[in-house]
């Protein structure tokens, strides 16, 4: 693309962005007081308009469940991530280009949780940041583990933690008998030791 075409594209993007108002704070995004606040938070799966700070605040809300905070506040369509942008992007092809550029940019930055192999990233293979060892080798994405509940539902974990197992057990209603308690303790021991029970 020539420089002229690139400049024209930027001018059109700026023009299309000028009157866009954040649906949360109700301010025109490009008219916000601080230059750092004049950025859009583009949701990957819908076209509702938000400033980056408002949609990030929405997604950090602790009073809602994960599917709610990952969804658009207006249409409730789930978007895996928010893409910061100085221009409003509505066209899906342009949005896909923006998403790819965002992922590539994030992939160059080191993951603060992985810490060059010293830590564990809670996002596993879904993390957009770089998981590399000090010698530059990229870490293999951790394969998610499965846990089958007594109801027959499957939960996926990046790593199975003791707390997940205990929390799952506490959420179930179990008759209060000594035999059941011993069975649960046996199941817990077998699970933690990595041995699968042969009983159904």
């Amino acid at each position: 693309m020539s420089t002229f075409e690139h400049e024209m594209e930027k001018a059109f993007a700026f023009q299309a962005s000028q009157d866009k108002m954040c649906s949360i704070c109700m301010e025109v995004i490009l008219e916000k007081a601080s230059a750092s606040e004049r950025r859009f938070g583009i949701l990957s799966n819908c076209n509702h308009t938000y400033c980056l700070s408002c949609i990030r605040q929405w997604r950090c809300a602790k009073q809602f469940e994960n599917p709610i905070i990952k969804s658009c506040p207006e249409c409730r369509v789930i978007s895996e991530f928010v893409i910061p942008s100085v221009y409003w992007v509505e066209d899906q092809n342009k949005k896909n280009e923006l998403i790819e550029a965002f992922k590539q940019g994030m992939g160059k930055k080191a993951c603060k949780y992985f810490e060059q192999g010293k830590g564990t990233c809670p996002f596993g293979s879904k993390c957009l940041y770089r998981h590399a060892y000090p010698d530059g080798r990229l870490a293999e994405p951790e394969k998610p583990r499965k846990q089958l509940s007594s109801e027959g539902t499957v939960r996926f974990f990046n790593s199975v933690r003791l707390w997940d197992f205990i929390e799952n057990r506490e959420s179930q209603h179990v008759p209060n008998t000594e035999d059941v308690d011993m069975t649960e303790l046996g199941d817990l021991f077998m699970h933690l030791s990595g041995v699968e029970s042969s009983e159904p």
Side-chain angles (χ1 to χ4, degrees), residues 5-32:
E5 289 173 333
H6 184 67
E7 290 300 317
M8 286 299 292
E9 195 170 285
K10 280 174 62 176
F12 284 128
F14 179 75
Q15 183 66 31
S17 304
Q18 279 192 327
D19 62 343
K20 295 293 182 183
M21 183 172 35
C22 174
S23 297
I24 295 174
C25 68
M26 304 306 284
E27 292 183 47
V28 175
I29 296 168
L30 294 182
E31 293 177 4
K32 287 193 162 219

Side-chain angles (χ1 to χ4, degrees), residues 1-118:
M1 181 181 292
S2 72
T3 305
F4 175 74
E5 289 173 333
H6 184 67
E7 290 300 317
M8 286 299 292
E9 195 170 285
K10 280 174 62 176
F12 284 128
F14 179 75
Q15 183 66 31
S17 304
Q18 279 192 327
D19 62 343
K20 295 293 182 183
M21 183 172 35
C22 174
S23 297
I24 295 174
C25 68
M26 304 306 284
E27 292 183 47
V28 175
I29 296 168
L30 294 182
E31 293 177 4
K32 287 193 162 219
S34 169
S36 64
E37 291 182 340
R38 294 182 207 137
R39 293 193 303 165
F40 293 90
I42 309 287
L43 296 177
S44 56
N45 294 328
C46 84
N47 287 327
H48 288 108
T49 312
Y50 303 102
C51 62
L52 184 61
S53 57
C54 283
I55 196 64
R56 279 187 173 165
Q57 187 175 7
W58 165 264
R59 290 174 72 102
C60 290
K62 300 290 185 207
Q63 71 266 31
F64 300 124
E65 293 177 13
N66 198 31
I68 294 173
I69 62 171
K70 282 190 155 192
S71 64
C72 169
E74 286 185 63
C75 67
R76 298 293 192 238
V77 170
I78 293 175
S79 290
E80 286 300 316
F81 42 82
V82 176
I83 306 107
S85 176
V86 292
Y87 302 114
W88 173 245
V89 178
E90 198 165 315
D91 176 67
Q92 193 59 48
N93 291 332
K94 294 288 183 193
K95 192 182 279 193
N96 290 342
E97 289 174 17
L98 185 66
I99 290 169
E100 281 309 308
F102 176 71
K103 285 181 176 180
Q104 287 177 3
M106 293 295 99
K108 293 176 183 175
K109 297 178 182 179
C111 175
K112 69 179 183 179
Y113 298 108
F114 187 72
E115 296 182 78
Q116 295 185 331
K118 297 175 195 155

Side-chain angles (χ1 to χ4, degrees), residues 98 104 145 171 193:
L98 185 66
Q104 287 177 3
R145 297 182 191 175
S171 68
S193 64

Side-chain angles (χ1 to χ4, degrees), residues 115-155:
E115 296 182 78
Q116 295 185 331
K118 297 175 195 155
T120 304
C121 178
F123 304 103
S125 61
K126 288 187 175 185
C127 184
L128 299 177
Y129 292 95
R130 183 178 173 87
H131 290 190
Y133 296 104
D135 63 3
R137 283 181 302 119
L138 292 178
E140 291 290 322
E142 190 174 318
K143 293 180 182 165
R145 297 182 191 175
K146 299 179 206 175
Q147 180 187 42
L148 183 63
S149 72
S150 59
E151 292 86 29
T153 58
V154 177
R155 291 175 60 189

